[in-house]
Amino acid sequence: ILFALVGVALANLLSISSRRAVHSAMVADIQRPLKTRAPEIVLSMRLGLDPAFQNFLPKFLEGCVDGFRLSHAAALGPEGKIIKRHGEDFSEVRPDDPFVRLAFKSAEPSFREFHGVAGPMLEVLIPVRAPESGGKVLGALLAGFSLGETLQAEEKIASQVFWHTGSVAGLALLFLL
């Protein structure tokens, strides 16, 4: 019985560990394209945040949703308020939100996970700065990804690790007896 308990505990620990590793890897895969394309996004957003070109924003946001397989995208103004949005399942983004304040201070995209109406989400906030004015924040792109498929894959892999580890532990127990 002791060997069986140790085997189940080991299988459970490996399952939890693999789930965390898979989650980190899959979220990194989601983040990578936005990090890589952030300079291009910033250039387009800089144009779209100009009041003379704000009619460009809805098409740009729609293109972001389609091109990056987002659930939602929004343009935020310099004070952190949403100017235009496209898609569904937005988090409650307010100018006083710590995520928005931190992202506006950062030179890099900021990321957070939250649970939306449709399930777990990953949001990215890419600050847009004006280099000609000393890096003044003009606004930001808020992009949201659904993590539903990611969590299903994590669950499947963790279950497989549990059963494989449990099987190996069971076979080892049989050989020891």
Side-chain angles (χ1 to χ4, degrees):
I1 294 178
L2 180 61
F3 286 115
L5 290 175
V6 169
V8 168
L10 177 64
N12 197 30
L13 286 173
L14 287 173
S15 175
I16 291 169
S17 176
S18 70
R19 178 177 286 156
R20 288 183 184 149
V22 167
H23 182 79
S24 295
M26 294 182 93
V27 167
D29 282 346
I30 291 170
Q31 294 173 347
R32 193 172 297 114
L34 276 173
K35 282 183 177 178
T36 303
R37 307 250 340 252
E40 296 169 43
I41 291 168
V42 167
L43 288 174
S44 297
M45 282 291 294
R46 198 175 298 145
L47 177 65
L49 289 169
D50 184 325
F53 295 102
Q54 283 192 359
N55 60 344
F56 161 78
L57 277 176
K59 278 291 187 196
F60 174 74
L61 295 174
E62 183 180 337
C64 285
V65 167
D66 294 341
F68 291 111
R69 295 180 41 209
L70 304 174
S71 65
H72 62 268
L76 278 63
E79 67 287 334
K81 289 183 181 176
I82 292 178
I83 298 171
K84 301 276 187 218
R85 63 193 314 162
H86 184 79
E88 302 192 14
D89 208 13
F90 280 84
S91 64
E92 290 297 319
V93 179
R94 299 176 318 278
D96 63 340
D97 185 336
F99 176 62
V100 173
R101 286 197 318 254
L102 179 67
F104 274 41
K105 291 178 185 175
S106 175
E108 297 293 318
S110 299
F111 299 88
R112 75 170 166 189
E113 290 184 40
F114 73 99
H115 196 82
V117 176
M121 305 288 295
L122 172 71
E123 271 189 339
V124 182
L125 199 69
I126 301 173
V128 178
R129 300 186 181 285
E132 63 278 354
S133 66
K136 177 185 168 201
V137 175
L138 299 174
L141 171 69
L142 177 71
F145 296 90
S146 171
L147 292 177
E149 291 177 15
T150 301
L151 293 182
Q152 288 175 352
E154 286 174 35
E155 183 64 36
K156 183 178 178 182
I157 291 168
S159 176
Q160 289 173 347
V161 167
F162 177 82
W163 289 110
H164 289 291
T165 306
S167 299
V168 169
L171 287 173
L173 179 63
L174 282 175
F175 286 117
L176 288 174
L177 296 178

